[in-house]
């Protein structure tokens, strides 16, 4: 028999052969528990997202030295987020969670919708008893879209567009026969027979409720008026027959009532939600700004547009701004099931990296005078003013050489706010007040600091103010703004600060999903990342004509980015609001003006950094900036005539670069130089009108 020393030596030899990693599923669990995306982990490991996916699904294993680094990371996470179910069977069921499992109130619910439950066990496949027929009926069929993997619980996709003859057009090209003649029957058919819905975007989230879009003829069939009389509240009166019918059948409406985006629900039965989202097209559920031309399309094409959006972004449940905020929560659920060590029961616990379930009062300089907490304390110390650029260069700084150039060319940065959200560290805990703190560029917060001594070239906007003027004294700035002053070589000495101890890249999954959606949708329109700059400009000139449906999806994605960031700091609404009273938006955990300020501060700093680098590389200075659009004087009518390129033909790093990904630039418009100078002399911003036709730029795309 072998001795103890021999056995131990054999074991030590095995341990020394190769670092041991946990099973692939455990690797994914640990990463998600830490709130880290695959993209961020890939960046840390100097690898690719696909490689990380392979590690987590068992297709491949890391090699040294990446293996040792990955093992060290997983060990650290395992210590922080132990697997409490180690003694469970090999194929353990998901934990039992109370029916009232906590979740974040949603934007369109006014924070008052009773909990309809969150499914933490797979819902049994619901029978799809709806009669399905091909879309090759007498109606025009939907154009083919890329088909996502079919969830067996939702065989007919996330949504359907219902016409007046009972035809429900799905995203897969099928047409379902809907026999409902009342709204109540429609809700019950949707939940029991339609096979509509979508799987959750995060393992601790909830499945998307099915969406039924009502055309004008369908709305009329259900007794809905052609137009809402309540233009302020945008809802049917409580005594309307349809509302009475819904309530009589023991269904409920959210506080917003029966409006363009009506939610009809009952409390969950066990773990299965009972909730249907309606979108009423004649009531402008799909507004033309966010969904250009969609409301006028045929039902099958509407289904295609909304289906692609649902596949790439989220099943719509409101305007694009609402969807932007809902996507944040769907990708970062506030809670997860955890085992109570005292009782052994599974309870609702905080999900690392999320914003939690309760609203958080802002630091005094991060909010506004109307906020109840700030109003009560009588704060007079000033507020953050981190907004996008609206700057016009002083005409007197134009040189004769610049004035002789024939063209003014506008460049627009693709989804600049989305690019700024990438790898952005934000505060997750409440603000803490500090006096005379040393500046730390890695800590998110608001800093009171005097930057008025910093003197920069007057031909460039100041990076510290939205209007580009030089600061005149102490003011509150977000971390990125102060860090940029330090980057430019100036000392900063904060007087006060409100900082957050717990931090994280909350927006990372949001950024990654929307970036992919944006790039993929542009690619569907012929604008791909492998194009040369000349080919890119040519493709962008006509990309909206290639496929109007995909053009509408692209516009909706842009609206989701801009609106989602805007919703983080939603102001009181209504003429009867009184200062100091709470308002619905501020009661959401996602009402976070500090996160909005961080995104905009970083976007503005990114813009100034490019402007400064352009001046150093080319000697060119901008005429005007409006949010993510900049206008330059140019010797030709193309960006290729003034953008900096190396001798090899590649774009010079640091300046503006053309391309289809977030943060890169595209042509916004071209006008004569004399036109731009004339506007500047009148105090008007050429960037606002560079498209021509006196069109106003969609600020903050």
């Amino acid at each position: 028999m072998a001795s103890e020393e021999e056995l131990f030596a054999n074991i030590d030899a095995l341990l020394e052969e190769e670092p041991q990693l946990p099973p692939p599923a455990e690797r994914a669990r640990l990463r998600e528990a830490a709130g880290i995306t695959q993209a961020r982990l890939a960046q840390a490991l100097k690898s690719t997202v696909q490689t990380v996916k392979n590690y987590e699904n068992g297709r491949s294993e890391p090699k040294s030295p990446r293996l040792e680094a990955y093992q060290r990371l997983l060990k650290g996470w395992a210590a922080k987020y132990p697997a409490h179910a180690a003694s469970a069977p090999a194929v353990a069921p998901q934990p039992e969670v109370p029916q009232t499992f906590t979740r974040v109130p949603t934007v369109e619910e006014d924070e008052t919708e009773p909990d309809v439950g969150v499914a933490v066990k797979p819902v049994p496949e619901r029978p799809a008893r709806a009669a399905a027929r091909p879309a090759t009926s007498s109606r025009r069929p939907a154009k083919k879209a890329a088909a996502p993997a079919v969830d067996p619980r939702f065989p007919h996709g996330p949504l359907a567009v219902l016409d007046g003859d009972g035809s429900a057009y799905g995203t897969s090209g099928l047409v379902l026969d809907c026999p409902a003649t009342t709204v109540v029957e429609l809700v019950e058919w949707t939940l029991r027979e339609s096979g509509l819905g979508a799987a959750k975007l995060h393992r601790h989230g909830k499945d998307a409720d099915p969406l039924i879009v009502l055309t004008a003829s369908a709305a009329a069939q259900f007794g809905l008026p052609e137009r809402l009389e309540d233009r302020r509240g945008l809802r049917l009166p409580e005594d309307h027959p349809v509302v009475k019918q819904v309530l009589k059948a023991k269904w409920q409406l959210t506080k917003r009532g029966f409006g363009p985006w009506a939610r009809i629900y009952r409390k969950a039965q066990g773990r299965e939600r009972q909730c249907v989202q309606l979108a009423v097209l004649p009531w402008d559920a799909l507004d033309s700004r966010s969904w250009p031309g969609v409301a006028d399309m045929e039902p099958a094409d509407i289904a295609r547009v909304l289906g692609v959006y649902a596949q790439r972004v989220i099943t719509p449940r409101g305007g694009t701004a609402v969807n932007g905020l809902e996507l944040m929560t769907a990708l970062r659920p506030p809670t997860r099931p955890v085992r109570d060590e005292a009782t052994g029961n599974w309870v609702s616990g905080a999900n690392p990296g999320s914003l939690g379930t309760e609203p958080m009062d802002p630091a005094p300089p991060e909010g506004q005078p109307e906020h109840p907490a700030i109003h009560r304390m009588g704060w007079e110390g000033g507020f953050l003013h981190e907004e996008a650029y609206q700057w016009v260069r002083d005409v007197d700084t134009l040189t004769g050489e610049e004035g002789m150039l024939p063209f003014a060319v506008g460049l627009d940065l693709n989804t600049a706010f989305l690019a700024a959200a990438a790898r952005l560290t934000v505060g997750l805990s409440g603000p803490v007040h500090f006096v005379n703190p040393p500046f730390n560029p890695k800590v998110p917060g608001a800093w009171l600091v005097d930057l008025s001594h910093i003197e920069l070239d007057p031909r460039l906007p100041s990076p510290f103010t939205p209007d580009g003027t030089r600061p005149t004294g102490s003011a509150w700035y977000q971390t990125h703004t102060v860090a940029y002053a330090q980057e430019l070589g100036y000392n900063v000495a904060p007087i006060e600060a409100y900082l957050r101890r717990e931090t994280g890249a909350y927006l990372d999954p949001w950024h990654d999903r929307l970036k992919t959606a944006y790039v993929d949708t542009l690619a569907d329109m012929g604008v791909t990342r492998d194009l040369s700059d000349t080919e890119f400009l040519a493709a962008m000139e006509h990309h909206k004509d290639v496929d109007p449906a995909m053009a509408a999806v692209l516009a909706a994605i842009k609206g989701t980015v801009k609106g989602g960031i805007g919703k983080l700091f939603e102001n009181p609404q209504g003429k009867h609001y009184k200062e100091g009273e709470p308002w619905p938006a501020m009661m959401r955990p996602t009402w976070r003006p500090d996160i909005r300020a961080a995104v905009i501060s970083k976007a503005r700093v990114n813009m100034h950094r490019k402007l400064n680098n352009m001046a150093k590389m080319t000697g060119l200075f901008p005429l005007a900036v409006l949010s993510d659009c900049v206008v330059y004087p140019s010797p030709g009518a193309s960006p290729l005539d003034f953008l900096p390129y190396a001798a090899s033909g590649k774009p010079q790093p640091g300046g503006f670069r053309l391309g289809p990904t977030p943060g890169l630039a595209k042509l916004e418009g071209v006008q004569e130089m004399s036109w731009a100078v004339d506007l500047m002399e009148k105090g008007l911003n050429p960037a606002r009108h560079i498209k021509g036709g006196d069109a106003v730029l969609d600020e903050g795309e």
Side-chain angles (χ1 to χ4, degrees):
M1 179 177 289
S3 66
E4 182 180 44
E5 289 79 11
E6 289 175 323
L7 292 174
F8 274 44
N10 291 339
I11 295 299
D12 289 341
L14 288 175
L15 290 174
E16 291 173 1
E17 281 184 5
E18 184 178 24
Q20 300 300 300
L21 295 174
E26 178 65 1
R27 303 170 199 174
R29 185 194 72 78
L30 290 171
R31 177 183 55 75
E32 291 178 359
I36 301 299
T37 65
Q38 290 177 328
R40 190 175 175 199
L41 176 55
Q43 185 181 42
L45 293 175
K46 302 296 184 183
S47 185
T48 66
V49 173
Q50 186 58 53
T51 299
V52 171
K53 289 180 179 178
N54 291 342
Y55 294 167
E56 293 183 354
N57 60 30
R59 288 199 183 100
S60 67
E61 297 293 326
K63 303 297 182 184
S64 187
R66 191 172 286 118
L67 172 61
E68 289 78 11
Y70 192 35
Q71 181 195 39
R72 181 179 180 183
L73 177 66
L74 293 175
K75 281 185 176 179
W77 282 343
K80 293 178 66 177
Y81 313 109
H84 297 293
S87 60
V91 184
Q94 291 204 26
E96 297 287 338
V97 179
Q99 181 174 317
T100 55
F101 186 68
T102 308
R103 69 182 182 84
V104 173
T106 58
V107 185
E108 290 295 275
E109 291 166 359
D110 276 359
E111 294 66 56
T112 58
E113 179 186 343
D115 189 10
V116 292
V118 174
V120 295
K121 281 188 176 180
V123 180
E125 181 178 346
R126 80 178 61 166
R129 295 190 293 271
R133 51 189 168 86
T136 55
S137 63
S138 58
R139 297 175 176 273
R140 183 159 58 91
K143 293 182 180 179
K144 184 178 180 181
V150 176
D151 188 308
R153 296 170 298 150
F154 313 114
H156 295 147
L159 57 91
V161 180
L162 186 61
D163 212 351
D165 63 358
S167 298
Y169 292 79
T171 60
S172 59
L174 293 178
V175 182
L176 308 177
D177 289 320
C178 175
T181 58
T182 67
V183 169
V184 170
E185 290 177 357
L186 173 63
V187 171
E188 293 174 347
W189 172 84
T190 302
L191 291 175
R192 297 174 185 172
E193 301 183 36
S194 71
L196 296 174
K200 55 195 174 188
L201 297 180
H202 187 281
R203 61 190 298 229
H204 298 313
K206 57 189 178 73
D207 293 333
D209 299 316
L211 168 64
I212 299 293
V213 181
L214 301 180
T215 62
S217 58
Q221 288 289 334
F222 292 125
L224 299 175
E226 184 178 346
R227 184 177 184 272
L228 285 173
E229 296 300 327
D230 181 2
R231 303 310 300 167
R232 180 176 292 275
L234 290 177
R235 68 186 71 185
L236 289 178
E238 294 182 2
D239 60 353
H240 190 278
V242 172
V243 176
K244 289 174 144 184
Q245 169 201 118
V246 169
L247 300 180
K248 184 178 179 180
K250 306 301 182 184
W251 290 96
Q252 299 181 58
L253 294 164
T254 60
K255 190 175 179 181
R256 293 187 68 87
F258 203 120
W261 289 91
R263 291 180 66 75
I264 302 175
Y265 69 94
R266 284 178 183 157
K267 286 192 175 181
Q269 290 183 343
R271 295 173 186 82
E272 188 168 358
R273 290 170 59 84
Q274 296 188 96
C275 190
V276 174
Q277 177 78 62
L278 300 182
V280 187
L281 292 185
W283 298 351
D284 297 325
L286 300 177
D287 67 280
S288 59
R289 185 176 176 88
S290 297
W291 301 93
V294 176
D296 298 325
M297 291 180 179
E298 292 293 326
D301 292 320
I302 296 174
R304 179 187 176 227
V305 170
L306 297 181
V308 172
Y309 180 87
Q311 174 196 345
R312 294 178 179 175
V313 183
I314 193 172
T315 302
R317 59 175 301 167
T320 50
V322 170
N323 297 335
L325 211 55
E326 291 290 338
L327 183 62
M328 294 181 196
T329 303
L331 294 169
R332 291 279 200 194
T335 57
R336 61 171 179 162
V338 297
R339 188 184 290 277
D340 185 334
E341 296 297 338
T343 65
N345 295 328
W346 289 92
V347 296
S348 175
N351 189 28
S354 75
L355 298 184
T357 60
E358 298 298 326
M360 183 183 296
D361 286 342
E366 293 171 347
Q368 70 252 68
E370 298 93 335
H371 192 280
I374 298 173
H375 186 265
R376 283 194 302 270
M377 70 184 300
W379 175 260
E380 295 181 351
F383 296 93
L384 280 173
H385 190 48
E386 298 287 9
E387 300 294 341
Y389 268 134
Q390 293 194 50
W391 171 82
V392 179
R393 183 172 158 192
D394 188 340
V395 177
D396 293 338
T397 65
L398 288 176
T399 65
E401 184 179 352
E402 287 176 312
M404 292 297 292
L405 292 173
F407 296 103
V409 177
L411 291 177
D412 180 63
L413 298 185
N414 303 318
T415 56
F417 289 169
L418 184 61
R423 318 300 171 247
L424 176 68
T425 301
V426 300
L428 300 178
S429 57
V432 179
H433 183 235
F434 294 87
V435 177
N436 297 322
F439 177 67
N440 187 337
K442 297 183 179 180
V443 179
W447 307 78
L448 180 63
V449 62
D450 189 350
L451 302 178
S452 61
H453 62 286
I454 299 178
E455 186 171 356
L456 300 173
D457 195 308
R459 293 172 292 179
L460 291 176
S462 167
F464 311 124
T465 60
D467 63 3
T469 59
R470 183 174 174 176
T472 57
S474 300
W476 290 96
Y477 300 98
Q478 202 276 335
T479 298
H480 282 87
T481 304
V482 184
Y484 188 57
Q486 200 174 61
E487 179 184 322
L488 292 173
Y490 295 90
N491 292 326
V492 294
I495 304 165
E496 290 182 69
Y498 285 88
L499 309 176
R500 287 173 163 79
R501 299 185 189 277
E502 185 181 347
T503 64
Y506 172 72
L507 293 173
D508 262 11
W510 187 81
H511 162 271
D512 293 349
R513 187 167 177 85
L514 285 169
K515 175 184 177 181
T516 300
Y518 182 83
V519 172
D520 287 352
T521 305
L522 266 179
D524 287 343
M525 304 162 73
V527 185
T528 57
R529 286 186 278 192
D530 58 350
L531 298 178
S532 68
D533 284 359
T534 302
E535 293 169 335
F536 168 75
L537 290 173
M540 286 298 295
E541 190 173 353
H542 303 291
H543 73 289
K544 292 182 180 179
D545 302 326
V546 172
D547 189 340
M550 289 301 100
V553 173
L554 189 70
I557 293 170
K558 294 177 183 178
T560 303
V561 173
K562 177 188 174 186
I565 296 299
K567 280 277 186 183
L568 292 169
F569 194 15
E570 191 174 0
N571 291 315
Q573 299 178 13
K575 62 180 180 181
H576 300 297
Y577 173 77
K578 293 182 180 179
E579 191 170 290
E581 293 181 349
W583 62 95
M586 61 161 280
M587 303 306 293
R588 295 192 306 260
T590 48
W591 189 83
R592 290 295 301 271
D594 58 300
I595 296 180
R596 176 185 179 272
V599 173
I600 296 179
S601 168
K602 185 179 175 183
R604 198 181 65 245
V605 164
N606 286 347
M607 172 65 82
H608 190 277
R609 188 180 289 111
K610 287 182 171 63
L611 297 173
N612 200 28
N613 289 338
M614 283 285 291
K616 293 176 181 177
M617 289 187 289
T618 67
L620 287 176
F621 291 86
L623 303 176
V625 183
L626 180 64
S627 188
D628 44 20
C629 177
V630 56
V631 178
Y632 273 100
S634 173
S638 169
L640 302 175
D641 294 315
F642 66 89
L643 289 180
Y645 289 86
S648 63
K650 293 185 177 181
Q652 291 278 23
F656 293 101
R657 294 178 55 192
L658 299 175
T661 55
L664 299 188
K666 60 180 180 291
L667 177 64
E668 181 69 14
V670 181
Q671 301 289 340
E672 293 182 355
M673 183 65 178
S674 57
W675 168 91
V677 173
D678 183 55
L679 288 181
M680 294 166 67
E681 289 175 340
K682 295 175 181 177
L684 301 176
N685 194 322
R688 187 179 295 276
H689 308 279
I690 193 71
K691 281 185 177 179
D694 205 36
V696 177
L697 182 71
D698 183 11
E699 298 175 32
E701 178 191 300

